Amino acid sequence: MKRMYFAISILVILLCGSLGLNIWLYNISYRQYIKTESLRFDPYELNNYPESPDIFKKDRLKSLVVFFGDSRAAAWPEIADISYDFANRGINGQTTNQVLQRLPAHVATLSPKVVVIQVGVNDLKNIVIFPDRAQSIVANCKQNIQQIVEKLTQELQTTVVITTIFPAGELSLLRRLYWTTEIDRSIIEVNQFIKSLKSDRIIILDAATILADERGVTRSEYSQDHLHLNAIGYTKLNNELEQILKSLVR
């Protein structure tokens, strides 16, 4: 009898675990479905930000810094007690092409002095889904980044602080199913390209070197999850960014 109760208990636990896993997977799939369907109406997500809010009028007293890019840019906090105003134009999940296409609406209208760019990982993580397109994904990522930088520096006469792509953090067993060493290799390749863009108006903030440990993985003390930083990680980057911004005031 005890064995039967034990077997029933194990079966109930397995069924509950299976139900919980299926609910979790359903929620993830549903959110992705909603995101995909919404992009049919607004593929570059231009409606996420107003075109020209009053707070960023051109008669402001301080120069404006804009954080621009994907979710990593969206989470980037302002630097306190510095002679700049800040605006954030990051959007979760965006690729380099989406960022490029929304630049006129989300950045040009603000007339910033400095634009801080973090973008690229959402392109490269698709390599696990389309391994046969790895080379073209990397090439397109580089091309889009170059066009973003050129539009900002040449057309808007803006100083660009472009960060190297943050390396991934520690991967959970589940996340390993959606990640490959080819993505890590591609991040390194694109980061080398980003460093090659350095010029008078293009400043490189080498986030990858600042954040990574000896294995090339973002240190656990800086990680919120495998892709995103916590407050300590952003503080580390802002220490470097603050010095860059102060040097531009001179």
Side-chain angles (χ1 to χ4, degrees):
M1 185 66 69
K2 288 184 178 180
R3 288 184 178 179
M4 183 178 71
Y5 285 144
F6 178 75
I8 292 173
S9 298
I10 294 297
L11 181 60
V12 170
I13 291 171
L14 290 174
L15 287 173
C16 290
S18 176
L19 178 62
L21 178 61
N22 278 281
I23 291 173
W24 179 70
L25 291 173
Y26 170 80
N27 286 334
I28 290 177
S29 299
Y30 181 73
R31 287 197 298 269
Q32 186 60 43
Y33 171 77
I34 294 298
K35 172 83 169 178
T36 301
E37 290 302 305
S38 67
L39 290 178
R40 294 177 184 271
F41 300 100
D42 184 14
Y44 305 122
E45 299 179 283
L46 299 179
N47 292 326
N48 282 43
Y49 294 105
E51 284 192 10
S52 186
D54 291 341
I55 193 172
F56 300 123
K57 283 182 177 178
K58 292 185 178 180
D59 59 356
R60 57 183 173 261
L61 297 178
K62 297 180 180 179
S63 297
L64 182 65
V65 177
V66 175
F67 294 109
F68 188 47
D70 52 30
S71 59
R72 292 160 157 192
W76 203 309
E78 300 178 5
I79 300 173
D81 301 321
I82 192 171
S83 56
Y84 286 91
D85 286 325
F86 292 87
N88 197 298
R89 291 297 181 266
I91 296 180
N92 294 355
Q94 286 219 323
T95 63
T96 54
N97 181 57
Q98 289 174 300
V99 171
L100 172 63
Q101 298 303 325
R102 66 184 178 88
L103 190 157
H106 286 172
V107 177
T109 54
L110 302 179
S111 301
K113 178 176 181 178
V114 181
V115 177
V116 180
I117 301 171
Q118 167 61 211
V119 71
V121 73
N122 291 316
D123 299 60
L124 303 181
K125 70 181 186 180
N126 282 320
I127 289 173
V128 73
I129 303 172
F130 306 106
D132 56 321
R133 302 183 191 175
Q135 288 187 340
S136 63
I137 288 172
V138 171
N140 288 335
C141 182
K142 292 178 183 178
Q143 182 179 28
N144 290 334
I145 288 173
Q146 183 163 8
Q147 288 186 55
I148 292 168
V149 168
E150 287 177 351
K151 283 181 177 293
L152 288 169
T153 56
Q154 296 175 17
E155 297 179 16
L156 300 183
Q157 298 297 302
T158 298
T159 297
V160 170
V161 178
I162 183 165
T163 73
T164 50
I165 300 172
F166 308 166
E170 294 286 353
L171 298 174
S172 66
L173 290 176
L174 182 62
R175 177 52 61 177
R176 289 179 191 278
L177 299 175
Y178 305 97
W179 198 269
T180 67
T181 55
E182 181 64 21
I183 300 175
D184 296 319
R185 189 203 63 76
S186 297
I187 289 175
I188 293 171
E189 180 179 340
V190 175
N191 281 346
Q192 290 173 340
F193 172 76
I194 288 173
K195 292 177 185 179
S196 74
L197 297 175
K198 182 178 179 181
S199 70
D200 291 341
R201 280 192 171 273
I202 304 170
I203 301 169
I204 309 301
L205 197 169
D206 191 1
T209 297
I210 293 171
L211 299 170
D213 63 15
E214 64 280 357
R215 299 168 299 161
V217 175
T218 293
R219 296 177 184 274
S220 59
E221 60 264 35
Y222 301 150
S223 295
Q224 175 178 301
D225 56 38
H226 72 288
L227 284 181
H228 301 99
L229 302 182
N230 59 22
I232 298 173
Y234 279 112
T235 297
K236 192 76 173 177
L237 294 182
N238 270 346
N239 290 339
E240 182 71 18
L241 179 60
E242 182 174 5
Q243 298 308 310
I244 292 172
L245 295 178
K246 285 181 176 179
S247 72
L248 296 175
V249 175
R250 298 169 189 167

